[in-house]
Amino acid sequence: MANAKKESGSNGGGMFSGIVIVLCIFVGWLIWNFIMGAGSNFEGGVNTGHPLPGNYLAMVYKGGPIVPVLMGLLLMVIVFSFERYFVISKAAGKGNLDAFMRKVQSSISQGNIDEAVDACDKQKGSVANAIKAALVKYQDVKKEGFTSEEASEMIHKEIEEATSLEMPMLEKHMTILSTLVSLGTLAGLLGTVTGMIKAFSALSAAGAPDSSALANGISEALINTATGISTSALAIISYNLFTSKIDTLTYSIDEAGTAIVNTYRRFRGTLK
């Protein structure tokens, strides 16, 4: 049942990712073609003319056909960053995670497992679900009277299984963000190369070099470079931020698991 649920979620997530990627590229093209390329941004009222002085939309439009791709990549970073933020925030639960962990650890150290389970029910989220699974297992092994080593192994195994069910949801789309780090740079570099090719073509023309074509080629190269670097920088920040948050969640689960095991060992020690 768990595998079927995971497979269904994976298929749904893959479809969502594909739709978002296509839509972002399409929206990037719309912005480039109809907003940046609007005639009102250029001299003579057509986008084949020179950009009006100080009109940055027109300047970016002159970056060429690589610009809508870069715009799409930038939109992907923004969309997937917001999606990861909401998912990871939901995984942390309804209340403050640090306050929840302090309450749960206090209840566990006092041997008040029912109170800790109630706190998990109120908190909800991936962390609370994994800790609750470990607490339920604790109550089971306590009734059966297992040794400390057996109980420790069973509780840790329960935490690992619960965490393995929650982690795919937390790590979903993180690969896309990490890929966008490289794609942003590479797409910007491609735009830089095409712009420089145009610039050198203008220089190699017979007679006097076409200064307009030369300027356009250099502008295209610089615009694509700046857009690609900006996309990669935002993707790096988002990826590292969410990776840190995921590590914090998994550490909280492991910390609670250790506290549960130590509580059981103290319980076994009182029976001797």
Side-chain angles (χ1 to χ4, degrees), residues 10 23 31 74 88 200 205 210:
S10 176
L23 282 178
I31 294 173
L74 181 59
I88 294 175
F200 283 114
D210 187 343

Side-chain angles (χ1 to χ4, degrees), residues 163-244:
T163 305
S164 67
L165 291 175
E166 301 291 345
M167 287 305 293
M169 179 189 69
L170 296 177
E171 295 179 343
K172 187 186 297 182
H173 301 148
M174 291 297 292
T175 304
I176 295 177
L177 281 176
S178 65
T179 303
L180 288 171
V181 173
S182 300
L183 281 181
T185 304
L186 292 175
L189 180 60
L190 178 61
T192 302
V193 172
T194 57
M196 294 308 296
I197 290 173
K198 292 180 180 179
F200 283 114
S201 295
L203 284 174
S204 65
D210 187 343
S211 59
S212 176
L214 177 61
N216 286 338
I218 295 175
S219 296
E220 179 176 334
L222 295 178
I223 288 168
N224 287 318
T225 301
T227 308
I229 291 174
S230 301
T231 301
S232 296
L234 182 59
I236 290 172
I237 293 171
S238 298
Y239 180 81
N240 289 335
L241 174 65
F242 295 130
T243 299
S244 176

Side-chain angles (χ1 to χ4, degrees), residues 18-163:
I19 292 173
V20 168
I21 290 171
V22 172
L23 282 178
C24 285
I25 295 294
F26 180 66
V27 171
W29 177 81
L30 290 177
I31 294 173
W32 176 74
N33 194 48
F34 294 104
I35 297 178
M36 295 179 176
S40 58
N41 296 327
F42 300 86
E43 296 176 355
V46 290
N47 57 23
T48 54
H50 292 291
L52 291 173
N55 193 308
Y56 292 102
L57 291 177
M59 292 179 187
V60 175
Y61 176 83
K62 289 297 184 178
I66 301 296
V67 172
V69 176
L70 288 168
M71 291 291 295
L73 295 177
L74 181 59
L75 287 173
M76 287 180 215
V77 174
I78 295 172
V79 170
F80 285 116
S81 294
F82 273 107
E83 186 268 344
R84 285 295 85 198
Y85 172 78
F86 287 118
V87 169
I88 294 175
S89 297
K90 184 178 179 181
K94 293 184 175 180
N96 181 270
L97 182 61
D98 292 334
F100 164 71
M101 290 303 301
R102 287 194 296 268
K103 183 176 182 179
V104 166
Q105 288 186 347
S106 176
S107 299
I108 292 173
S109 63
Q110 296 171 11
N112 196 339
I113 303 303
D114 290 334
E115 183 178 303
V117 171
D118 290 339
C120 292
D121 289 335
K122 293 178 182 178
Q123 179 74 5
K124 299 186 182 299
S126 299
V127 176
N129 291 340
I131 295 175
K132 181 180 178 181
L135 292 170
V136 172
K137 178 58 67 174
Y138 169 89
Q139 292 174 323
D140 292 340
V141 298
K142 186 176 179 180
K143 291 177 183 177
E144 297 295 332
F146 289 101
T147 64
S148 296
E149 291 72 19
E150 292 172 334
S152 175
E153 183 178 350
M154 294 176 69
I155 292 172
H156 279 303
K157 185 177 180 181
E158 186 68 23
I159 291 176
E160 289 175 0
E161 290 179 355
T163 305

